[in-house]
Amino acid sequence: MMIQKTRWLVLGILCVGVMRLDLRANEKSLKTWKAGLAKVVITPEQPIWMSGYARRNKPSEGKVHDLYAKALALEDPAGKRLVLVTTDLIGFSRSLAEQVAQGVRRRAGLARERLLLTSSHTHTGPVVRDSLITMYELNPQQVEVVSQYSAKLAEQLIGLVEQALEDVSTAKISYGTGQADFAVNRRAASPTGVKIGVNPEGPVDRSVPVLRIDDRHGNLRAVVMGYACHNTTLTGEFYQLSGDYSGFAQYALEQQYPGALALFVMGCGADANPNPRSTLELAERHGKALAKAVSHVLDRQLQTVQASLKTKLEFVKLPVVVPSREEFQTRLQDKDVYRQRHARRMLQLLDERGKIPATYSYPIQVCQLGRDLTLVALAGEVVVDYALRLRQELKVKTLWPIGYANDVFAYIPSVRILREGGYEALSSGIYYGMPGPFAEPVEELIISKVKDMASKVQGQ
Ligand SMILES: [Zn+2]
């Protein structure tokens, strides 16, 4: 009798053990990512004014290669989703980003905080609606071309996100970092202040973050790469559309890994330029250098990213120093045509609204992938000091700093750069139509908001 009881007991324990193992295996198979991908050509079909350089005097003349928007949809086992959109564009104006986000919410049910819109900041792409408004004096026909292009673009981007979400299937995601050396700090000291040039001593972030997306069998489906450097190898004399170095890098990787999609995300490279620059050959060379850095990373053992996803999008009010009406009136006589144009616009705003707001509501998005990878996506043209400081101070295992996200409305200078002056601190705001420069608290406000959001996201 005793022996029989013991037998049953042993059998029972074994059964429970097997069931547990089974459950664990099931759990393991459930705890995987799903990923979906999509791409769409966004090359303008007719000549269009090109963005990024004020001195251009005619619309585009053909293309070097096509411009793309690409999307990576991620879904964790709990069904939480994030769609990263990358574009070969100068930047999303807030109005364009919100139009896309609303369409995505309506048609795909995706909340705003789960959509991350980024731009490569190519300077050989089209002008997009409501972006860098003081830079160009377009005639009505050119305005119409930009407006039609932007309307079609918004539709294309909404469709792109839907397509990526419909494409999701089981995926493995891993992460690594490489390095590419062509970025150089561009804030060069001169007797008349800081000028755009080459400053080999200045801070720069040459890291190349890489996200690898494989299918369930381990075949490469997509690679997302980052780099913190202006897409300005090609200067203002170029009238052919292209993605500049980051366009060439995407093409090189897609050629090297047939069937895989390559996506490019800009880092905090507002004060970095490619070096050397100004020929098409150099743009291609830098693109290939970036692609090579990425493929080195892909060849190595990468860090697996666990399948869990948390996202947050919040706003912080940044202080802007708004000049007086008298100051704008004086600027109407300025010898600089852009300052004149800007002053006219500001006076018109003052007449219409009575006053100009002295703050800007700045969007910050934090996305936590697994336990270890934190994407911090900052709006505007963010200088390198933010990435360097966040890497030091943010209590996360691996940080991927992203700039030019969701709303590209101004340069985002640090306190150091505000004090030094120069283009990123002062004059760039004129082209963007900002009322005035940021005040010094800007840096601390952004850094502390990011810290707060990162800790909330980690604690969720
Ligand atoms: Zn820029």
Side-chain angles (χ1 to χ4, degrees):
M1 197 61 186
M2 268 309 276
I3 292 169
Q4 222 167 6
K5 264 191 183 167
T6 316
R7 267 194 198 151
W8 278 115
L9 195 66
V10 170
L11 203 62
I13 291 168
L14 273 174
C15 276
V16 169
V18 169
M19 274 165 69
R20 278 219 177 124
L21 275 176
D22 215 40
L23 269 176
R24 257 185 228 155
N26 253 336
E27 258 173 28
K28 206 176 172 189
S29 67
L30 286 174
K31 279 188 175 170
T32 52
W33 287 104
K34 283 183 182 166
L37 293 152
K39 67 172 178 178
V40 63
V41 172
I42 54 165
T43 318
E45 283 162 0
Q46 54 178 315
I48 190 168
W49 213 264
M50 293 165 78
S51 194
Y53 296 112
R55 65 175 178 274
R56 285 202 179 101
N57 56 17
K58 56 183 177 182
S60 62
E61 294 169 343
K63 64 183 178 187
V64 174
H65 51 222
D66 272 318
L67 306 179
Y68 282 91
K70 298 174 182 172
L72 165 66
L74 295 176
E75 191 180 311
D76 78 0
K80 289 184 185 150
R81 302 184 291 177
L82 170 71
V83 181
L84 165 71
V85 173
T86 65
T87 56
D88 298 318
L89 289 174
I90 192 81
F92 277 89
S93 58
R94 179 172 292 197
S95 67
L96 182 61
E98 288 320 303
Q99 186 186 349
V100 173
Q102 277 170 25
V104 164
R105 187 184 293 136
R106 204 171 49 243
R107 282 176 20 197
L110 193 75
R112 179 66 189 91
E113 65 174 22
R114 304 199 165 273
L115 178 66
L116 171 48
L117 297 169
T118 70
S119 44
S120 75
H121 202 49
T122 176
H123 280 45
T124 39
V127 169
V128 291
R129 199 187 69 207
D130 301 331
S131 160
L132 284 160
I133 48 175
T134 324
M135 195 174 255
Y136 328 101
E137 191 101 82
L138 305 182
N139 67 33
Q141 188 261 333
Q142 290 151 358
V143 170
E144 187 50 32
V145 173
V146 168
S147 134
Q148 278 179 16
Y149 174 76
S150 305
K152 183 179 171 193
L153 177 69
E155 271 307 305
Q156 284 182 305
L157 293 173
I158 298 164
L160 176 82
V161 173
E162 282 185 301
Q163 223 184 311
L165 285 166
E166 281 160 15
D167 182 59
V168 293
S169 63
T170 303
K172 294 174 190 166
I173 298 183
S174 49
Y175 176 84
T177 312
Q179 185 171 313
D181 293 330
F182 60 87
V184 69
N185 188 291
R186 70 179 200 181
R187 289 172 50 81
S190 87
T192 50
V194 175
K195 295 268 160 31
I196 291 185
V198 175
N199 175 11
E201 310 301 316
V204 70
D205 175 10
R206 295 197 172 110
S207 63
V208 178
V210 173
L211 198 65
R212 178 185 173 121
I213 292 92
D214 290 301
D215 67 13
R216 70 176 79 216
H217 308 295
N219 303 313
L220 183 69
R221 287 189 70 199
V223 55
V224 186
M225 66 188 136
Y227 199 51
C229 178
H230 257 75
N231 254 295
T232 47
T233 320
L234 300 173
T235 36
E237 312 78 59
F238 284 84
Y239 285 88
Q240 282 185 303
L241 297 161
S242 86
D244 205 287
Y245 78 78
S246 75
F248 280 109
Q250 293 171 65
Y251 275 96
L253 285 164
E254 288 176 6
Q255 202 169 24
Q256 191 180 349
Y257 303 100
L261 204 63
L263 299 88
F264 174 81
V265 174
M266 255 291 266
C268 299
D271 44 349
N273 265 348
N275 185 46
R277 59 196 280 251
S278 84
T279 70
L280 196 56
E281 290 68 32
L282 285 168
E284 187 164 9
R285 195 211 289 177
H286 295 324
K288 285 184 171 163
L290 178 57
K292 201 170 163 190
V294 172
S295 65
H296 276 322
V297 176
L298 294 179
D299 288 342
R300 292 202 312 255
Q301 186 68 36
L302 298 182
Q303 197 74 39
T304 301
V305 180
Q306 293 100 355
S308 73
L309 189 55
K310 294 163 190 167
T311 57
K312 232 174 215 324
L313 177 78
E314 290 183 3
F315 293 82
V316 59
K317 277 202 166 81
L318 301 183
V320 178
V321 184
V322 183
S324 64
R325 178 183 279 273
E326 293 67 37
E327 166 62 25
F328 286 131
Q329 268 158 349
T330 315
R331 286 190 200 170
L332 290 175
Q333 318 302 326
D334 202 291
K335 60 182 189 308
D336 181 331
V337 64
Y338 302 103
R339 277 167 70 83
Q340 274 180 37
R341 208 182 283 164
H342 177 259
R344 267 202 304 279
R345 197 180 288 275
M346 292 301 126
L347 287 167
Q348 195 186 336
L349 270 181
L350 276 171
D351 289 342
E352 285 167 11
R353 299 183 193 170
K355 70 174 198 176
I356 295 172
T359 56
Y360 191 90
S361 184
Y362 179 77
I364 298 175
Q365 196 169 10
V366 176
C367 308
Q368 183 69 33
L369 276 65
R371 278 192 303 271
D372 299 339
L373 180 60
T374 310
L375 314 185
V376 172
L378 300 173
E381 301 204 39
V382 189
V383 299
V384 71
D385 293 354
Y386 286 89
L388 301 179
R389 207 178 143 189
L390 286 171
R391 267 210 195 101
Q392 290 273 317
E393 296 181 24
L394 206 59
K395 292 188 176 67
V396 299
K397 180 136 184 243
T398 314
L399 168 70
W400 184 333
I402 296 171
Y404 298 80
N406 296 313
D407 179 10
V408 181
F409 66 99
Y411 273 78
I412 311 299
S414 56
V415 173
R416 171 182 71 84
I417 286 177
L418 276 173
R419 288 179 187 167
E420 288 172 3
Y423 182 73
E424 294 84 357
L426 301 168
S427 43
S428 56
I430 298 285
Y431 299 111
Y432 271 109
M434 284 295 286
F438 284 113
E440 286 190 8
V442 65
E443 178 178 330
E444 213 46 55
L445 284 165
I446 292 176
I447 297 280
S448 53
K449 185 71 177 172
V450 171
K451 285 180 182 169
D452 174 49
M453 288 173 70
S455 73
K456 277 198 238 161
V457 157
Q458 300 229 313
Q460 263 176 10

